[in-house]
Structures are given as structure tokens and as C-alpha cells.
Amino acid sequence: MASAHAVDFNRDVRPVLAQQCFTCHGMDDHGRKGKLRLDLSESAHGKGKSGEIAIVPGKPDASEVIQRIFSTDEDEVMPPPHTKKVMSEKDKATLKAWIAEGAKYEAHWAYSPPKATDAKASIDHFIRQRLDKEGLKPSPEADAYTLVRRVYLDLTGLPPTPAEADAYVKDKAPDAYDKLVDSLLASKHYGERWARRWLDLARYADTNGFEKDRPRQIWPYRDWVVKALNDDMPFDQFSIKQIAGDMLPNASAEDFIATGFHRNTMLNEEGGIDPNEYRFYAMVDRVGVTGTAWMGLTLNCCQCHTHKYDPILHTDYYSVMALLNNADEPTYHIPTPDIKAQQQAHAAKIAQLEADWPKKFPGSESAMQSRLAGWIEGEAKRASKWQIVRPTSMKTTLPHLEQQPDGFILGSGDISKSDVYDLNLKAPIQGVTALRIEVASHPSLPNDGPGLTNYEGPLGGFFLSELQAFQNGQRVKIAHAEATNDEEEDRISDAATKPKAKAKARKTNNASAALDAEMSSGWQVLGGIGVRHAAVFQFERPVDFTKGFDLKMLFEKHFACPLGHFRISVTTSDHATATGHPFEIEEALASNDASKRAVLLRRFLETAPEMKQAAAQLAALRKNPPRGQPTLVMSERPATNPRATNRYHRGEYLSPKETVPPAVPAFLPALPKDAPANRLTFAKWLFAPENPLTARVAVNRQWHAFFGRGLVQSLEDFGYQSEPPSHPELLDWLAIEFLKQGWSLKKLHKLIVTSATYKQSSRKTMVSARSEKSELENSLYAHAPRFRLDAEIIRDSALKAAGVLSPKMGGPGVYPPQPASITSEGTYGKFEWKTSEGEDRYRRSLYTFIKRTAPFAMSTTFDAPTGEACLAKRDVSNSPLQALTLLNDQMFMEAAQALAKAVISASQDEDTRLQNLFRRCLTRPAAADELSMLKTFLQKQRDQKLEGEALWAAVSRAVLNLDEAITHP
């Protein structure tokens, strides 16, 4: 530090200030002491609350900071003793030297755009430049077998077969390695390998999490990721589609599927919870995940207060949330060409059945017409003339209501466990005797409606707890009520109702129950395609609608249950009843409209006892049209119903404060002024050339995947608390190259794996494995790293070695062998693990069904994520349980048995069998001493009376359990 400007602010000083000082003298104005900020030069160079100047550039002895950190007085020393922080002598000397040199502040390296360097630069240029500086030399290139195994595992997640390895080793062409890399990048297994790493960030799983942890359908999103990576979709488009694909112009089905990224949040279905509170927690998760996955910022630190270290305000956090918060979360049925063809065929079948109906009526044409005439006469007496009334105004607690052209009212948006609809009605009709509420399915609603229930209760159903009528502030009495489904059993879930409950159902699950002032009873309709019901409420005395009329509908249950698609009509008839006929039919009956005879004929045939069987067939077809595979997506809310975002004091859902505008943190480049501040604009902003973070974060994560450590060690945090990059110029160069190459991950991966740095041997130099120089070699890439392989690669490698790995791609999650008790005993949301048969038993681990509260046991043992949280970097543990799993787990036992059969059938010679087994597991040929040890082990097993397949399975288990079999070469 004796030389001029030897102290680097970002490398040496900021980490000390961030660790020791910023908690009390940083960004957070609520936690700031002495009105002093040491993160800003203008504050640090001015007077604090005490009147003293904290930092006097060039004069450490005159600086109050130096006086305080060197003080021995407990009342004066900084950091104060009660913080339990003790500044080292080295850190004190660093601060003193920095002030002596002028106390120059510099912008944090990550918050400034990457700097371009020599156009002729390369990965090896930067790595060797640093090695030379430290007096270190790179290792020689790895041998061909090691290299081919390494690049196979890194690019496809699978080892090469002995034949594939030999083909590369024997190819002496100068471009042999480049051709190999190109073939692996083109492999369909490339997308599977790299999808798994992205799904760690996406917190992908096949269940909802929390207490019930029920299965969910979102695997199409996983398959979309695989395909996008195999297609080398540019990383900017790959990301924009996942954040806001639904908002792209002419968004395709694939664009919607991509938005599953932020639908991977957990869903709490526990009884008694507030769904809007847990939607808030889902948004908290989405903000944090976005910060981790693309920005390298610990945004989640600001949920409760301004960041203690980085320049991110408490309000910034909620402004980012506001950018992401204006979306609904529907289930999307994927409209594939095959599904569309099935739907057309289905519609044609229904049309043909309807056309053939009259022919199926028993008897002659005249008999049918006679029955029709009698039916019309009888039903006309029951029918009433109804007039549709459109509300003049509508108010709700949360849901958004919109009037439709046909008079129906469509609900959408957020719902709660106690929702109220206040509808003001006015019409030139006097003497109104009854009011009717029609409810009908609608494709925009959960399970097609007619309700908005989307969790815990009957999906798509509703529960009208209470109906109240008012005129001029006075209660209007309703004398009687009935509904077309009054005989349905009372259900609050989709489970079958016990027979003994049916008698009670008729008492509580009908329209009259909406008048009893009991919120626990009411009119309920269950969801589904083609549902259509109506309730008729008869007034005690006629009502004059010219004077206005107020209708209040209350929906309350232990789950959110408001109505989603309904229409209101009134009548002056003295015999209004719930006939069960659709509005158009009853209107035709009441008006004796001869022109509607064809429509009435169809209705007659639907209800005639003689046509019961044919009608049932048609009803079944209408209720079960072909539907595309469901998946969870995001969908931007309509402009008529934006969702406001508030700041929540201390991050508490119950403490909402002021509304915040959508924006990005102020210390970063602003959103474009000519674009709306929404999800799509935010997604594009992440990839704007002036954004300093996204490209760096992305390339650092890719580097970590190949080398086991990032150029910046903290993959999730590029803020003040992160360690500086080991090779800052290389990080910036890679970021700029990534942009130049059109955000192509495949080109970036090829750039890395074709470098001499990547191809180095992993053998260390002669220095002690625990020496400081050894650690320097590790961090500066003086040799290739060795690290434990991911759980999925370990399992898939064993299956490939055994020759049983299925190449099948995509589809729902599968259930490899594991003890069934893992998902059924001692867990919430018990789940029966039905082990898959056939090739699904041995699919790639990417396709294993993931239950959040009880994930696949082998994966957990080897540090795979549960899907409960975004994971930028997996832990790498080393435990005896891992060895026990490799030796005794049912799946590994089956792999060893299959491997034994394969080597036995391939050769009769013992040495050949051993060499084949060794190479299937480790790629390289066994050395003479290794072969000798295997033969000794084989003989010991024979001595234990093992023979045949059992004997060779024992040897297979041992080789699969070798450190080399589970370690990156």
C-alpha cells in the first residue's frame, strides 16, 4: 500500500465499509445513525451530527472515522461493541491508507456497464494474464478420454459410451474436438441438461407446496424450456417470453406456456388462509426470483426496509413488484393443431346428432308433432315473460364486473372469502313480481365457471350466501325463492358426497337458503362446461323498477366463492317459477312465437322421456369437449381493471401504505419514457444495452456450470456484499461477447468449452492440497476443477452405463423406484408414489415427478432443490448417506443388475467384461493395476458364494460407487 493509489476502492474499501459501517451509516434512513452516510462521498466528506467531518481526503488523522475505529474507548469506538463487530487491524490500515490517498469513491463495478477490451482478447488471454501475474502456470491439456467425458457431461449431462469415446480418441483430424462440440450442442439431450439448471432458478415442481401440497399441471412449461434451449432461442427472447410472453403482439400458445416461470410459485390451499395474503407472498417470491435470476440483486432484502448495503430503497422493491403485479393467473388449455382437429370433429358429431334427433323419436312424424304441441301448450302455461335488466352501476369488494352484449355480467380479478356485489337496477317496468338470476359457464372462468372459485372449494363454482333487495334505502321483502338445481346435493368440494348428507342438502343447498340470514347456507352451483341454472326470487308485493332498485349479493364461505357469469331479468307474471328453460326458450313459450318452433322442437326432444337415452348421449358430449393439456400461465389484466400495488410497512401484508408506481430501482437506468411501465417493458429493459447487470449475471452463471465456481462467487448477489470478480476484464468481455453473439447460449458454451482453460488437466501441481497457493490455483484456473456431479447427472449416468436409460422426451412427471413411504408417511399432503413401469421407470431425472414436501429421495441426498425456492447455486455436500444410496438404493441396484447382464452378454472373457464394465462407468480404459484390483474384488465376491449375474452386479455396484463415477473429470 506504499505506492501511489495502491488501495482500490471497490476491491479493498467498499467491502470493509459494507461489512462494518453501512448497517448504521448506509442507505437505510430509518436505521441511520448520526445523520451520517458513508456510502456517499458528499455525506462522508461533510459534517455529521457531532459536527465532526467523518472523512477528510488526504488527512486520515483529521478524519473522525479514523479516530473512532482506532479508539479504545467503548463509548467512542466504531463499530460499537454492542454490534459484536470487530474491525481487523488490516481493515483499519486499509481505510487509513485509502483516506491518505485522497478517499476517492468509485461506482460499484457491477452497476457500471461492461467495459470493452482488446478485440483480439479471449478467455485464455485473460486467464493466463492473471496466472502470469501470480507466478503460476496453466496445466497441460487433459488426455482425450478425460476430455471427451468432461464435455459430454457438461453439454448433455450424460457420459459417452465406450464406442462414442473411442470414435473421438481415434479421430486425429485437427478439428475433431470442434466437430464433437458441435454434435453435442446439436443433441436433443443438450436442452435436457441445461433445462435442469434453469429450473433450479424457476423453482419448478409438480406440486403446489405448503400443507396440502397437491399435484399441479405445469410440465408443459418444463418441456418448453427444453425445446427453447435446444432451438438456441436467444437468451433475451427466452427471458422476455417467460416474464411477459402473454403480452407479446399476437402471442402464441408457446408464449403463454413460457409465462409458467412465475406460476411456479407455491400455492397454499390450507383451510382458513386468506388467498389474497398468499397471493401477496407469491408476488414477494416473484420479485426476489426476478432479482436473483436476471439482476444478481438481493431484492428480497428490501421487502421490509431499505437495503442495508445496496442502493435499493424499500419503495424500489414495491415499484418492481408493481411492474409484475398486474397479471391474472389462469389455467390455460394448450390449443394444439391436434386438439383443434378433435374439437372440429366433436362439434360435427354434436351437429349430426342434433340433426338426427327427430328421426329417433319413437313413432311417426305426426305422433312427434302431436307430443310437441301438447308439450308447448303445457310449458307455455308455466312460462313467464322475462325482461333482461342491465345494472346502471356495479360495486364490489374485489372482483371486477363487466357488462356483456347479451346482458350477462362477467366477473374477473381478485376474490376473497367474503365478497359483496352491489348492483343498482332501473328499468321502465312497474309491478315487478319476481327477479331471476341466470348463471352460465364461460371459458374465461376457472373450470368454465359459472363461479370464480379457484382453490379449495369446487373449482368454478359459487356460493350465494345471502341475497338482499332494497328500494329507497328500505328493505324489499322476498317471499319465496327456488332454483333449477335445488335437488342437487350440498357439496363444498369435488369429492363424492355421502348418501346420508342428501336429505340435508335439499334444506341448505337451495335458493331459499340465500334468504335465511345465515351465511353458512346459501345457493350453490358447481362448476363445469355447459352449466346453466337459474334462481327465481318472488317479491312479497310488486316492485316499481322505475324508481330504482338495489340488489346486494353476498358470497361467503371458508373459501372464496363469488359468482362469475350471470344475468338478471324481471317479470310481472303472477306465476313466475324456475322452469329450467333457457331464457330464449321461455321467451318463445311465453310469447307463443311460431317462428321459434324449430328451437322449441329441439328443447322438447332434450326433455322428452322418450328421448332420455339420446339426450344423455348429447349432454355428455356437450359437457366433455376435447380440451388441450392444461398448464399454469400469466395473463395481463385488462386496462379496465388494473391492480394497484402498495408499499407494505415492514413487509407485512396487513400493513398496506401508499400506492407505488411501477418502476425500476433509481440507481439503474430508467425504463424508456415512451413505453408503458409494465411487465413487457420491464422484461425488455433487462436486456437493454445500458443495463449493466443482466449479461454479467448470465455469463457468470454459465461459467459456474462448467468450472464449479463463478468469476463472481455469489451467483445471486452482485451487490456491495459480493466478492469482486476474480477476473473482472474476462467477465466484462464475456458479457459483451454474449451480446455480440445475439444472446446465444450455445455460442457462449462453445466459446467456453473450446478454450484451453476448459481443456486443462484437473491434476494439481506439486503444491500441498491445502496450501494458500493451492487455493489460488483453484480460483485462478491453473487447472481444471474437480467437483461432485449434480444428482440428476449421477443417476442418469448410471442408467446410461447400464444401457437402460430411456431417450423419451417430455410429458408428465414419472415415478422412478423409491420407497413408497417417502411420500406417504410423516408428510403433509400424503401422496401415493406409484412406481412407473416400462421405459418411464428409467427416464432422465429431469422428468421425475417433484413433490415439494417430499422430493425424490436420491435427488435430495445429492443436494438437488425441492422447488420451494429459487436456487442460484446448489450446495455440494459429502456424506455417508450418498455412498449408501449408490450402493443400496433400489434404482442403483437395478442399474447394477442391468449393467451386469449387459457385460455378461457382451463377452465370455473375464478381463474383457471387467474392462467393458469399467469403461461404461468411467469412460477411460482401466489401467493394469486397476484391472488387477477389480479381479481381486471379483474373486472375493466369488468366495462369498456369488455367481452369475449376482456376482457381476456386485462388481457393478462397486464401480458405480467410485469417486470418479460421480465427480466432474
Side-chain angles (χ1 to χ4, degrees):
M1 296 183 185
S3 60
H5 302 289
V7 181
D8 182 274
F9 178 76
N10 277 319
R11 184 192 64 216
D12 305 317
V13 178
R14 193 190 297 276
V16 176
L17 294 176
Q19 183 65 34
Q20 303 288 350
C21 309
F22 284 175
T23 301
C24 298
H25 301 293
M27 281 61 64
D28 186 1
D29 53 353
H30 292 290
R32 191 176 304 133
K33 308 297 183 184
K35 298 183 179 180
L36 173 65
R37 291 186 65 169
L38 292 178
D39 60 310
L40 297 177
S41 59
E42 54 267 32
S43 175
H45 295 168
K47 292 182 179 180
K49 185 178 180 181
S50 66
E52 302 293 336
I53 297 177
I55 295 175
V56 182
K59 298 179 179 180
D61 293 337
S63 301
E64 185 67 11
V65 163
I66 299 302
Q67 302 299 320
R68 292 297 188 97
I69 65 174
F70 279 96
S71 175
T72 57
D73 186 339
E74 290 189 358
D75 293 331
E76 295 286 335
V77 68
M78 291 291 169
H82 69 81
T83 66
K84 307 298 182 185
K85 294 180 178 180
V86 179
M87 190 178 293
S88 69
E89 294 301 319
K90 179 182 177 183
D91 288 346
K92 292 177 183 178
T94 297
L95 291 181
K96 189 171 184 178
W98 170 63
I99 294 174
E101 293 174 4
K104 184 179 179 181
Y105 278 76
E106 296 173 1
H108 183 52
W109 63 269
Y111 301 155
S112 300
K115 298 176 182 176
T117 54
D118 185 354
K120 297 181 180 179
S122 65
I123 291 173
D124 298 325
H125 165 77
F126 294 110
I127 295 294
R128 294 189 177 181
Q129 188 178 62
R130 183 70 192 278
L131 289 175
D132 290 344
K133 182 179 178 182
E134 300 294 340
L136 297 171
K137 293 188 177 298
S139 296
E141 185 172 307
D143 67 87
Y145 282 112
T146 297
L147 192 55
V148 70
R149 178 176 175 82
R150 181 187 299 167
V151 75
Y152 259 86
L153 289 172
D154 279 341
L155 292 182
T156 68
L158 298 171
T161 63
E164 289 169 334
D166 288 342
Y168 167 70
V169 171
K170 292 175 182 177
D171 188 346
K172 302 303 180 183
D175 62 347
Y177 182 73
D178 284 348
K179 288 190 296 183
L180 173 65
V181 170
D182 288 339
S183 69
L184 295 178
L185 290 172
S187 167
K188 66 180 182 180
H189 300 306
Y190 169 88
E192 294 177 316
R193 148 67 171 157
W194 290 92
R196 181 57 264 178
R197 296 193 68 86
W198 182 257
L199 295 178
D200 283 11
L201 291 165
R203 67 272 194 233
Y204 174 83
D206 295 296
T207 59
N208 290 332
F210 289 112
E211 182 248 0
K212 287 188 170 54
D213 200 23
R214 292 170 175 147
R216 63 169 48 167
Q217 295 282 324
I218 198 170
W219 58 261
Y221 164 74
R222 176 246 289 150
D223 289 355
W224 179 89
V225 172
V226 173
K227 184 178 184 301
L229 292 171
N230 273 334
D231 293 344
D232 198 21
M233 181 182 290
F235 185 66
D236 58 344
Q237 294 304 309
F238 177 73
S239 301
I240 290 168
K241 288 175 184 288
Q242 291 183 77
I243 296 172
D246 59 298
M247 299 178 70
L248 292 171
N250 303 312
S252 66
E254 296 291 307
D255 295 333
F256 274 94
I257 294 168
T259 63
F261 178 89
H262 271 320
R263 288 301 309 277
N264 281 309
T265 47
M266 295 199 294
L267 175 66
N268 192 345
E269 299 172 286
E270 184 179 359
I273 63 101
D274 180 345
N276 291 299
E277 179 179 7
Y278 280 86
R279 203 201 73 80
F280 167 71
Y281 294 144
M283 288 308 308
V284 166
D285 174 68
R286 288 164 185 157
V287 174
V289 170
T290 302
T292 297
W294 285 284
M295 304 172 75
L297 295 177
T298 52
L299 291 177
N300 50 314
C301 290
C302 302
Q303 178 189 346
C304 306
H305 50 73
T306 290
H307 207 291
K308 296 294 184 182
Y309 305 104
D310 294 318
I312 311 171
L313 301 176
H314 187 39
T315 50
D316 286 341
Y317 177 88
Y318 289 100
S319 286
V320 173
M321 181 182 286
L323 288 165
L324 303 171
N325 198 26
N326 197 41
D328 287 326
E329 302 173 22
T331 296
Y332 178 68
H333 292 270
I334 304 170
T336 62
D338 182 53
I339 287 294
K340 290 179 180 178
Q342 291 179 39
Q343 290 170 340
Q344 290 174 355
H346 184 83
K349 186 175 183 179
I350 289 176
Q352 187 61 51
L353 282 173
E354 289 178 340
D356 292 343
W357 255 16
K359 302 174 187 176
K360 295 183 178 180
F361 192 87
S364 63
E365 170 70 17
S366 61
M368 183 183 72
Q369 291 297 334
S370 175
R371 281 277 288 113
L372 172 62
W375 178 84
I376 291 175
E377 183 180 355
E379 291 302 308
K381 293 176 182 178
R382 295 176 63 225
S384 298
K385 186 171 180 59
W386 295 92
Q387 298 181 62
I388 296 170
V389 179
R390 300 171 187 267
T392 55
S393 67
M394 300 182 286
K395 294 180 182 178
T396 72
T397 45
L398 272 181
H400 178 66
L401 301 179
E402 282 196 3
Q403 189 78 58
Q404 305 298 296
D406 60 0
F408 270 88
I409 297 165
L410 183 62
S412 63
D414 299 328
I415 59 178
S416 73
K417 290 183 177 181
S418 182
D419 279 317
V420 179
Y421 293 179
D422 279 318
L423 310 180
N424 299 126
L425 307 171
K426 194 171 185 179
I429 309 171
Q430 296 177 333
V432 172
T433 57
L435 176 144
R436 181 170 66 175
I437 300 175
E438 294 175 85
V439 300
S441 300
H442 191 278
S444 71
L445 302 176
N447 196 28
D448 282 72
L452 287 167
T453 300
N454 57 24
Y455 84 104
E456 194 171 0
L459 192 64
F462 73 87
F463 192 92
L464 176 60
S465 308
E466 198 72 14
L467 183 81
Q468 299 172 355
F470 300 87
Q471 190 168 55
N472 299 323
Q474 299 298 311
R475 188 77 175 261
V476 175
K477 291 185 179 181
I478 300 175
H480 178 71
E482 60 181 77
T484 55
N485 68 328
D486 275 356
E487 296 303 310
E488 281 189 2
E489 66 266 29
D490 190 11
R491 291 198 289 171
I492 60 170
S493 71
D494 287 326
T497 305
K498 295 179 181 178
K500 64 181 181 181
K502 290 189 176 180
K504 185 180 179 182
R506 284 190 289 273
K507 188 172 89 173
T508 62
N509 187 36
N510 54 38
S512 293
L515 306 176
D516 61 7
E518 289 287 339
M519 299 303 288
S520 60
S521 63
W523 180 40
Q524 182 180 38
V525 174
L526 306 178
I529 298 172
V531 170
R532 189 152 191 160
H533 284 293
V536 173
F537 299 89
Q538 297 173 355
F539 299 124
E540 190 173 83
R541 56 176 55 90
V543 178
D544 184 355
F545 263 56
T546 63
K547 297 179 179 179
F549 183 85
D550 298 324
L551 190 67
K552 178 177 281 191
M553 306 166 76
L554 294 86
F555 307 91
E556 187 170 299
K557 204 67 174 171
H558 63 274
F559 54 87
C561 56
L563 185 49
H565 190 226
F566 63 101
R567 181 166 62 182
I568 296 171
S569 55
V570 297
T571 184
T572 58
S573 168
D574 59 1
H575 61 273
T577 184
T579 63
H581 296 310
F583 180 89
E584 298 77 9
I585 299 297
E586 188 153 3
E587 184 179 43
L589 288 167
S591 60
N592 195 22
D593 188 348
S595 67
K596 297 293 179 67
R597 192 172 181 84
V599 176
L600 292 175
L601 171 62
R602 188 167 66 183
R603 178 62 178 170
F604 161 67
L605 293 173
E606 286 178 351
T607 58
E610 301 95 322
M611 299 295 289
K612 184 175 181 180
Q613 186 174 350
Q617 180 186 6
L618 191 60
L621 282 171
R622 286 172 174 165
K623 197 167 184 63
N624 297 286
R627 303 291 292 270
Q629 168 62 40
T631 192
L632 306 181
V633 302
M634 307 288 278
S635 180
E636 186 72 357
R637 302 182 82 166
T640 54
N641 186 30
R643 181 188 284 120
T645 300
N646 298 93
R647 178 182 67 84
Y648 289 84
H649 183 57
R650 295 183 176 179
E652 288 286 347
Y653 171 70
L654 296 177
S655 299
K657 300 300 180 183
E658 73 277 7
T659 300
V660 295
V664 296
F667 74 94
L668 291 171
L671 294 172
K673 294 181 179 179
D674 58 348
N678 58 25
R679 264 188 304 133
L680 182 58
T681 299
F682 175 59
K684 293 179 177 179
W685 169 87
L686 288 170
F687 295 89
E690 61 271 18
N691 190 314
L693 291 166
T694 310
R696 282 188 176 120
V697 170
V699 298
N700 188 60
R701 190 179 297 123
Q702 306 308 308
W703 185 272
H704 172 271
F706 290 104
F707 293 97
R709 65 190 301 151
L711 295 168
V712 179
Q713 289 246 44
S714 52
L715 306 190
E716 74 288 351
D717 184 9
F718 275 39
Y720 291 168
Q721 287 290 85
S722 65
E723 290 186 21
S726 59
H727 299 74
E729 296 85 0
L730 173 57
L731 180 64
D732 281 6
W733 182 79
L734 284 171
I736 292 170
E737 281 297 304
F738 194 27
L739 269 71
K740 284 183 178 178
Q741 298 294 339
W743 298 94
S744 167
L745 282 170
K746 286 190 175 183
K747 289 179 180 178
L748 176 64
H749 290 171
K750 183 172 183 179
L751 187 66
I752 292 173
V753 301
T754 54
S755 68
T757 301
Y758 174 82
K759 293 192 283 186
Q760 290 179 108
S761 169
S762 59
R763 294 182 180 275
K764 294 179 179 288
T765 61
M766 296 303 291
V767 301
S768 167
R770 294 183 179 273
S771 70
E772 186 175 336
K773 187 174 183 182
S774 174
E775 177 54 32
L776 192 62
E777 285 186 341
N778 291 339
S779 64
L780 300 185
Y781 311 100
H783 54 75
R786 284 177 60 82
F787 50 88
R788 224 267 328 283
L789 294 171
D790 290 343
E792 297 84 356
I793 296 179
I794 293 171
R795 177 179 174 275
D796 295 349
S797 294
L799 293 177
K800 186 173 182 183
V804 296
L805 181 67
S806 166
K808 181 180 175 182
M809 297 179 69
V814 296
Y815 307 91
Q818 74 167 355
S821 60
I822 287 172
T823 60
S824 61
E825 295 181 10
T827 63
Y828 287 109
K830 290 184 178 180
F831 179 82
E832 185 179 359
W833 188 270
K834 295 181 179 179
T835 302
S836 300
E837 297 299 334
E839 68 174 328
D840 281 352
R841 191 180 186 91
Y842 302 121
R843 296 278 300 282
R844 284 201 73 165
S845 299
L846 174 72
Y847 304 114
T848 296
F849 186 91
I850 301 173
K851 179 175 171 60
R852 282 184 160 111
T853 55
F856 190 57
M858 177 268 164
S859 298
T860 303
T861 301
F862 284 92
D863 309 308
T866 65
E868 293 173 295
C870 170
L871 192 65
K873 181 167 64 176
R874 295 187 183 187
D875 292 330
V876 181
S877 63
N878 187 358
S879 72
L881 186 58
Q882 293 168 352
L884 290 170
T885 297
L886 293 171
L887 283 171
N888 301 312
D889 182 89
Q890 182 182 351
M891 192 278 302
F892 282 98
M893 289 289 289
E894 292 182 12
Q897 291 163 356
L899 179 55
K901 290 179 182 179
V903 297
I904 289 172
S905 63
S907 174
Q908 297 297 316
D909 178 68
E910 192 169 277
D911 283 6
T912 304
R913 285 180 177 177
L914 286 171
Q915 192 67 262
N916 185 17
L917 190 158
F918 189 92
R919 293 203 60 199
R920 278 171 168 261
C921 297
L922 305 180
T923 305
R924 65 179 177 82
D929 59 334
E930 292 169 326
L931 202 57
S932 176
M933 285 189 283
L934 284 175
K935 293 169 79 172
T936 301
F937 180 80
L938 184 68
Q939 186 57 49
K940 286 183 178 179
Q941 304 310 304
R942 281 201 178 102
D943 295 343
Q944 298 295 323
K945 308 301 182 184
L946 292 180
E947 58 183 24
E949 289 182 7
L951 172 66
W952 286 93
V955 181
S956 299
R957 290 171 67 201
V959 177
L960 285 170
N961 199 34
L962 290 175
D963 177 72
E964 190 173 342
I966 64 170
T967 303
H968 186 271

